[in-house]
Amino acid sequence: MRQPIDLETVLAGFTAPWSPRIVAQVNDYDVRLARFAGEHVWHVHHDTDEFFLVLDGIVHIGLREQGGERVVTLPRGSAFVVPRGVFHKPSSEEGAVVLLVEPTGTVTVGDEHDEVPDHIDATTGHLVP
């Protein structure tokens, strides 16, 4: 990446929720831009944390921790890290735009997951041309 990336232009280029676009790479990490709509699947990344920054909308992240389940609500401008090894389920009732940071090659549905419905793109991200 040798030129600035206009995130609005990237967003204008796709509408599919749960199908992130890789907008940059920093060392061994992808910076991904994604649209969230409806529910994702319960999943876990055994070896990596997952960083969420909500650029627009509201995101809810269900977490399964030792004390049981809880939901973290992230309004626009909020950031949150899901620690490695924690089952989680992102969702957005009204839709959201989220910036994610994960190691390159991390699959969107994690290492273990519930059955993946058709509206979820099980991918390592799509490069922005």
Side-chain angles (χ1 to χ4, degrees):
M1 179 173 90
R2 302 209 183 265
Q3 297 296 324
I5 299 289
D6 178 34
L7 298 182
E8 293 297 327
T9 300
V10 173
L11 283 169
F14 76 103
T15 58
W18 311 115
S19 185
R21 300 309 191 254
I22 299 169
V23 296
Q25 292 182 310
V26 180
N27 297 316
D28 297 331
Y29 285 79
D30 290 341
V31 178
R32 301 174 182 182
L33 188 62
R35 294 182 180 279
F36 286 16
E39 295 187 350
H40 202 271
V41 295
W42 282 104
H43 66 283
V44 63
H45 303 280
H46 291 301
D47 299 319
T48 185
D49 301 334
E50 188 171 13
F51 174 84
F52 295 80
L53 173 61
V54 180
L55 301 177
D56 193 31
I58 298 173
V59 171
H60 305 281
I61 302 177
L63 301 166
R64 288 183 180 157
E65 299 171 307
Q66 288 188 359
E69 287 186 11
R70 70 181 176 114
V71 175
V72 174
T73 298
L74 305 173
R76 181 177 184 235
S78 296
F80 186 74
V81 174
V82 175
R84 70 190 74 202
V86 173
F87 272 90
H88 57 287
K89 180 180 183 179
S91 65
S92 180
E93 295 170 16
E94 301 296 323
V97 174
V98 180
L99 191 78
L100 303 147
V101 179
E102 303 176 286
T104 298
T106 300
V107 179
T108 57
V109 294
D111 303 311
E112 287 182 56
H113 51 78
D114 287 348
E115 185 175 335
V116 180
D118 290 340
H119 73 280
I120 305 288
D121 184 8
T123 181
T124 57
H126 304 280
L127 286 172
V128 172

